[in-house]
Amino acid sequence: MLGTEPSGATRTVIVTVDDDPAVSRAVARDLRRRYGEGHRIVRAESGESALEALREMRLRGDAVAVILADYRMPEMNGIEFLERAMDIFPGARRVLLTAYADTGAAIDAINVVDLDHYLLKPWDPPEEKLYPVVDALLDAWRSSDHRPVRETKVVGHRWSARSSGVREFLARNQVPYHWYASDEPEGQALLSAADEDGARLPVVITPDGKPLVEPTDQDLASSVGLATTPSARFYDLVVIGGGPAGLGSAVYGASEGLRTVLVERTATGGQAGQSSRIENYLGFPDGVSGGQLTDRAHRQATRFGAEILTACEVTGLEVCGSARTVHFADGSAVSAHTVILATGVSYRQLHAPGIAELTGRGVFYGSALTEAARCQEQDVYIVGGANSAGQAAVYLARGAKSVTILVRGDSLTASMSHYLIQQIAATPSIRVRTCTEVVGAEGEDHLERITLRDTANGTTETVDAGWLFVFIGAAPLTDWLDGTVLRDERGFVVAGPDLAPPGERPADWPLERPPYHLETSVPGVFVAGDARSESAKRVASAVGEGAMAVMLVHRYLERL
């Protein structure tokens, strides 16, 4: 039997365990009389039921300050119980209730379970024998920092690709979380509370105490309150992709009265959302982080009524008369009068021996800002010569011992903004190695070394490296459009005047009018941002195209 005094869930907990119901009630009564106003009193009549309650409280993030256990209990005595309870709440103060004949065992328990105190039965009067002991233990507990963590908790291996992916997903979706390494005491305590032995990682514990073992992104999204399924079956506008172009489309579409849903497979912001600092965006003279810009745009879109779905992977686009149907990986679909393709681009894979095996374990694509704190006083290498690489270098240089930018070309001027080149030149800890490429990576459970090749003379060298961030090229996320929407040889979506020579209509174009500027080879389907062929690949232009696409959507709808 387990009894819990009704009270607020935020109060510190005192737990008492005794197999004798009468004694259990008496201990709880005396504790409630003195501490009930400021503490929650939990009583249990067996060690197993008490351990189950402790696990639930640990997963919820409750704070247990004191545990009182009777020594003589069947199946599990008080010392055995406290030894297991230590694994769940190592900071809780421990008290053993004993008879006079058991004092020898109680003294031995001081060494076995680091016992804080033992009390002889009976404890009457409690004002003399019980309360002074509990008062002192509560004071000692308060002097240590055992405040509960009510955020999402992530327990994982330090060098696990999926653990890193979970942290990145939560961070990019603005979900507060606390990280626990699986090989450290706090992480082990949480795994024990979740009844996991660490063989399956990561384990994510939601704020309400539910453990998720090896969760998918969709599992995570659902557990933290992110919408993953549309609320309706038909909309005026479906925006595919949540980067600057997609968010711009959602803001303008919803603000102008269109029933708008934005579909994002990972997190809003796209590549721009991962940027540590954007300093050339209009209206932000002191710069703005990609996360801040994304968060503001996300809130702006929802304030106007746009629906935003996360962890939804789009697999196909179907033309059904005047409707445009978007299919998802889980077999569901949503339809609309119009669609804006704002899928953006992803970083190209670095094809070199060892890179794939060490991705997420020292090798990262993009800035992976959740890893930045672990780069303190470390030697960091960055592959790439565009703005995203430069922004990451300047950001990481704040704490890293050194940052080396590896560029295949002979300078940064062809692909990086002038202001970033100046910042890099003025940062002593940043070094730029031109005419250099990564041709190999090595390491046991994480990255330890990389092999570099000089593209000018062909010589190679191997250097120690624990961190490699890759920012190379731009691969459009448009394979799912194959056979439906015209793309160029690199996979970027062709639109507007690029669909046909001047003065000619595109082949198979079904309408009398020519395509609008951002309209694809399918009427009513538009493209904006980096996914468009020959786009500018800048945040400001992506936002502008998102707004322009909505204007063209209105023009299309007026002629339906």
Side-chain angles (χ1 to χ4, degrees):
M1 174 186 174
L2 176 68
T4 304
E5 302 303 321
S7 61
T10 59
R11 295 192 292 179
T12 302
V13 180
I14 300 174
V15 177
T16 174
V17 190
D18 199 301
D19 67 304
D20 185 327
V23 175
S24 176
R25 288 193 295 270
V27 176
R29 178 200 62 215
D30 287 344
L31 290 172
R32 183 174 61 250
R33 183 183 305 159
R34 172 77 170 227
Y35 306 104
E37 185 175 344
H39 300 77
R40 186 157 58 100
I41 311 301
V42 174
R43 69 179 181 88
E45 293 178 5
S46 74
E48 282 296 343
S49 63
L51 289 171
E52 182 180 352
L54 288 171
R55 292 189 191 100
E56 293 175 358
M57 287 185 278
R58 180 56 190 256
L59 294 176
R60 287 198 304 264
D62 293 341
V64 175
V66 178
I67 303 174
L68 299 93
D70 183 50
Y71 172 66
R72 289 181 177 266
M73 292 191 295
E75 299 180 2
M76 183 189 306
N77 67 39
I79 296 175
E80 294 168 336
F81 163 75
L82 288 172
E83 191 171 10
R84 293 176 63 179
M86 284 175 62
D87 294 333
I88 305 172
F89 281 99
R93 304 297 165 170
R94 293 170 287 280
V95 179
L96 194 67
L97 297 176
T98 67
Y100 183 79
D102 300 321
T103 54
I107 293 172
D108 292 339
I110 293 175
N111 296 321
V112 175
V113 294
D114 194 21
L115 194 68
D116 293 291
H117 204 91
Y118 68 88
L119 285 172
L120 292 175
K121 296 179 181 179
W123 57 88
D124 292 328
E127 289 78 9
E128 296 181 11
K129 298 183 177 180
L130 177 64
Y131 297 155
V133 171
V134 177
D135 285 346
L137 294 177
L138 286 172
D139 287 342
W141 182 86
R142 293 188 194 100
S143 68
S144 302
D145 188 5
H146 298 295
R147 291 170 296 180
V149 178
R150 295 194 178 274
E151 300 170 324
T152 296
K153 305 176 184 69
V154 181
V155 184
H157 191 277
R158 179 184 179 189
W159 296 113
S160 159
R162 183 53 188 157
S163 293
S164 177
V166 164
R167 297 170 64 192
E168 194 75 6
F169 179 89
L170 294 173
R172 290 187 59 194
N173 280 288
Q174 309 290 322
V175 177
Y177 73 92
H178 200 101
W179 163 257
Y180 299 88
S182 59
D183 58 353
E184 295 180 354
E186 282 291 298
Q188 292 172 349
L190 285 170
L191 289 175
S192 176
D195 201 23
E196 288 291 327
D197 60 6
R200 300 185 299 165
L201 293 174
V203 173
V204 177
I205 300 166
T206 63
D208 61 359
K210 179 182 177 181
L212 305 174
V213 181
E214 297 179 318
T216 64
D217 284 355
Q218 193 160 37
D219 293 333
L220 290 172
S222 299
S223 71
V224 298
L226 299 173
T228 59
T229 56
S231 63
R233 298 181 61 183
F234 198 91
Y235 295 83
D236 294 318
L237 171 62
V238 174
V239 180
I240 303 175
L247 287 168
S249 297
V251 167
Y252 282 93
S255 67
E256 294 176 13
L258 297 178
R259 292 170 297 168
T260 302
V261 59
L262 183 150
V263 181
E264 168 55 47
R265 66 171 188 160
T266 304
T268 52
Q271 285 189 350
Q274 300 179 67
S275 175
S276 56
R277 202 75 181 165
I278 303 170
E279 298 193 54
N280 60 349
Y281 188 71
L282 183 67
F284 291 89
D286 298 319
V288 60
S289 75
Q292 291 173 320
L293 188 63
T294 295
D295 179 57
R296 293 178 182 183
H298 186 120
R299 288 188 285 114
Q300 191 174 18
T302 54
R303 182 171 67 85
F304 282 125
E307 189 176 332
I308 297 181
L309 307 182
T310 306
C312 291
E313 183 179 356
V314 177
T315 57
L317 176 65
E318 182 182 5
V319 178
C320 306
S322 63
R324 306 292 179 258
T325 300
V326 176
H327 294 274
F328 301 126
D330 63 1
S332 63
V334 66
S335 298
H337 290 302
T338 59
V339 172
I340 294 178
L341 305 173
T343 53
V345 295
S346 64
Y347 294 111
R348 294 190 184 278
Q349 300 295 297
L350 179 59
H351 297 293
I355 291 293
E357 294 81 1
L358 293 169
T359 296
R361 297 188 290 140
V363 177
F364 301 94
Y365 287 89
S367 55
L369 295 181
T370 54
E371 304 296 330
R374 296 164 62 191
C375 296
Q376 296 290 316
E377 296 303 317
Q378 302 289 312
D379 295 316
V380 176
Y381 287 82
I382 291 176
V383 181
N387 278 8
S388 52
Q391 290 162 350
V394 171
Y395 177 76
L396 291 170
R398 298 174 185 173
K401 180 181 177 181
S402 70
V403 176
T404 302
I405 302 176
L406 308 173
V407 188
R408 292 187 65 181
D410 57 8
S411 74
L412 294 173
T413 56
S415 54
M416 189 177 292
S417 294
H418 180 64
Y419 81 92
L420 273 173
I421 295 175
Q422 289 183 311
Q423 288 184 10
I424 289 169
T427 306
S429 59
I430 300 179
R431 176 191 178 194
V432 180
R433 288 188 56 167
T434 58
C435 302
T436 304
E437 63 181 353
V438 177
V439 295
E442 302 173 27
E444 294 299 324
D445 63 340
H446 64 92
L447 178 68
E448 297 175 9
R449 294 170 297 279
I450 57 175
T451 301
L452 307 177
R453 187 175 78 90
D454 189 315
T455 59
N457 57 34
T459 59
T460 62
E461 68 170 309
T462 299
V463 297
D464 292 335
W467 303 92
L468 181 68
F469 296 90
V470 182
F471 302 82
I472 55 172
L477 302 170
T478 59
D479 288 348
W480 58 277
L481 291 168
D482 191 31
T484 304
V485 173
L486 182 65
R487 300 177 298 151
D488 65 19
E489 66 279 0
R490 295 180 298 160
F492 292 93
V493 177
V494 180
D498 295 329
L499 286 169
E504 297 183 21
R505 286 173 53 190
D508 301 323
W509 181 254
L511 304 180
E512 292 296 325
R513 64 165 178 83
Y516 296 130
H517 184 68
L518 298 177
E519 196 167 19
T520 70
S521 59
V522 177
V525 177
F526 300 82
V527 62
D530 291 358
R532 184 176 66 83
S533 180
E534 304 301 325
S535 62
K537 307 296 187 292
R538 287 291 186 267
V539 175
S541 62
V543 172
E545 287 190 7
M548 182 187 297
V550 171
M551 178 192 73
L552 298 173
V553 162
H554 279 289
R555 191 176 299 176
Y556 173 85
L557 292 174
E558 289 169 0
R559 303 183 65 168
L560 272 182

